[in-house]
Amino acid sequence: MTYDDVTASRGPRQKSLILGVGTAVPASSYSQADILEAFDVQDRRIRSVFVNGGIDRRNLCLPSVEDGSLRTETQAELISKHVTVGLDIGTRALASCLKQAGAELDDVRYICCVSSTGFIVPGFSALLIKELGLSTNCSRLDVVGMGCNAGLNGLGATAGWSELHPGELAVMICIEVCSALYVFDDEMSSAVVNSLFGDGAAAVALISGRGGSSLNAPSLMNFASHIIPEASDAMRIDWHEGHGKFSFALEQDVPYVVGAHAINPITRLLEAAHLLPSDIDHWIIHSGGRKVIDSVRVNLGLTRSDVRHTLGVLRDHGNLSSGSFLFSYERLNLEGSVSPGDTGVMMTMGPGSTIETALLQW
């Protein structure tokens, strides 16, 4: 029997439905001016990066003040912050998600945790099962180190499990404590990263086998990916020898590289469903930064209204890494603008360089 024989013999599998979404951020909130003051940034070029990025505020867990300035955290302290803050915001995001889904902790049968802001073993999935008292029979997965695109990588894995286990609840939680990856110095490369990212978590609940979709539970119809190997170094985490800690590096041409390739996965995603970009009612795009959003918007022929939630999340929270797109999805839900039969596209971008997409049907 060949691969074609197997695929031809398969019956249609029921798609996963998005039953609920929830988000959470740390209580501490800072304006860009607050951060510049806290770190006593005087360089005009760096100040310009902070104030012209389309960001008003971010939720961050910054170090304590000693002798009038913010204390430098060690790598061990940053990892500890990643775990402590991550468990807090991850737990709260999951609770909000389950409430919207009308489910309880005991209903969870699969948990996928996505994070790139710290490396821990065991991962967040095991820690949350212990912390929350989830079933010890709960299947789990940790998606670590894939960056801002990883939310859709994790969602694809979660949807796959859901479709193989009809009627059982699967959840994905993106947990990003970006302040656990900050390096503070006078370098412009550090300033770009430090001006952009915020701390936050987002959770989504999936189930299959419940019949058709509904207004509040769109179906995940398909996924499409595109990797840009020639830009593999454009977004990366390096060991910073001078600081003795890990740091995130972001090349200046990232927005243009991502924008130029955005049409590739979108074309494959929509052609498989016999759709055009103009047929899509809702665009849920990662808040990667103002230039990234503008580049994607121009290359896909989108309006500012199409990316209003993406821009709103960037303005209010900054780039929340892997969970950013779920913050935008939550805002779309709260807006109440979705109608039965609508279609939507989710898009995330990150290291690889990679663009991930998903098609929704309400």
Side-chain angles (χ1 to χ4, degrees):
M1 181 176 286
T2 67
Y3 172 79
D4 289 338
D5 293 331
V6 173
T7 55
S9 65
R10 286 176 178 168
R13 183 188 294 177
Q14 285 193 307
K15 301 296 184 182
S16 293
L17 307 178
I18 299 179
L19 287 188
V21 65
T23 62
V25 293
S28 49
S29 175
Y30 300 87
S31 69
Q32 296 291 70
D34 291 336
I35 299 171
L36 290 170
E37 181 179 353
F39 288 95
D40 191 26
V41 177
Q42 301 298 326
D43 189 307
R44 290 184 178 181
R45 298 174 307 146
I46 293 177
R47 294 183 69 89
S48 177
V49 171
F50 272 76
V51 301
N52 294 313
I55 298 171
D56 290 347
R57 303 193 69 83
R58 288 179 287 158
N59 297 84
L60 295 165
C61 293
L62 297 180
S64 58
V65 176
E66 293 183 0
D67 299 324
S69 61
L70 290 174
R71 184 176 59 84
T72 300
E73 296 166 289
T74 66
Q75 182 62 51
E77 289 174 319
L78 292 173
I79 290 294
S80 177
K81 177 165 69 174
H82 170 70
V83 175
T84 303
V85 177
L87 285 174
D88 171 54
I89 59 178
T91 296
R92 290 192 284 117
L94 178 59
S96 177
C97 171
L98 293 178
K99 181 179 180 180
Q100 186 183 103
E104 304 291 339
L105 285 170
D106 289 344
D107 297 320
V108 177
R109 293 293 177 267
Y110 175 92
I111 181 170
C112 171
C113 290
V114 179
S115 186
S116 295
T117 51
F119 180 69
I120 54 174
V121 178
F124 275 124
S125 66
L127 297 182
L128 283 170
I129 288 173
K130 178 182 178 181
E131 181 86 7
L132 299 176
L134 297 178
S135 169
T136 54
N137 296 324
C138 185
S139 298
R140 66 186 183 92
L141 172 69
D142 286 278
V143 178
V144 180
M146 293 192 74
C148 296
N149 53 273
L152 277 180
N153 295 103
L155 191 63
T158 306
W161 187 93
S162 171
E163 291 171 11
L164 286 173
H165 299 80
E168 298 189 7
L169 190 70
V171 298
M172 179 189 73
I173 313 173
C174 298
I175 302 173
E176 303 290 10
V177 187
C178 295
S179 58
L181 261 182
Y182 280 14
V183 168
F184 295 99
D185 54 29
D186 295 328
E187 298 296 323
M188 180 58 71
S189 57
S190 299
V192 171
V193 172
N194 295 346
S195 71
L196 180 58
F197 291 91
D199 299 343
V204 61
L206 305 182
I207 199 166
S208 69
R210 280 199 178 178
S213 183
S214 72
L215 180 59
N216 296 319
S219 296
L220 277 165
M221 303 303 294
N222 201 2
F223 293 84
S225 305
H226 182 77
I227 189 167
I228 312 162
E230 60 269 27
S232 59
D233 289 334
M235 294 171 269
R236 64 191 187 277
I237 291 178
D238 295 326
W239 177 256
H240 198 298
E241 193 67 39
H243 290 279
K245 61 185 69 173
F246 288 103
S247 64
F248 185 62
L250 192 64
E251 299 295 334
Q252 291 184 345
D253 62 349
V254 164
Y256 315 107
V257 171
V258 169
H261 289 83
I263 193 62
N264 295 321
I266 290 294
T267 297
R268 287 188 290 107
L269 182 76
L270 299 186
E271 282 185 348
H274 307 291
L275 295 172
L276 298 172
S278 58
D279 295 322
I280 301 303
D281 301 294
H282 309 285
W283 293 86
I284 303 151
I285 298 174
H286 167 57
S287 300
R290 192 184 65 179
K291 289 182 179 179
V292 171
I293 298 167
D294 286 345
S295 182
V296 168
R297 183 173 66 84
V298 169
N299 280 275
L300 294 182
L302 306 181
T303 67
R304 285 189 66 83
S305 178
D306 289 328
V307 296
R308 63 193 180 281
H309 299 307
T310 300
L311 291 168
V313 171
L314 181 70
R315 179 193 64 232
D316 298 336
H317 299 291
N319 181 337
L320 293 158
S321 192
S322 65
S324 292
F325 77 109
L326 290 176
F327 277 74
S328 291
Y329 175 76
E330 181 180 55
R331 292 189 176 205
L332 176 65
N333 277 350
L334 293 172
E335 185 181 63
S337 61
V338 176
S339 300
D342 280 1
T343 55
V345 165
M346 291 175 162
M347 173 183 282
T348 61
M349 306 82 76
S353 290
T354 308
I355 303 169
E356 302 289 344
T357 62
L359 179 65
L360 302 181
Q361 174 77 59
W362 277 267

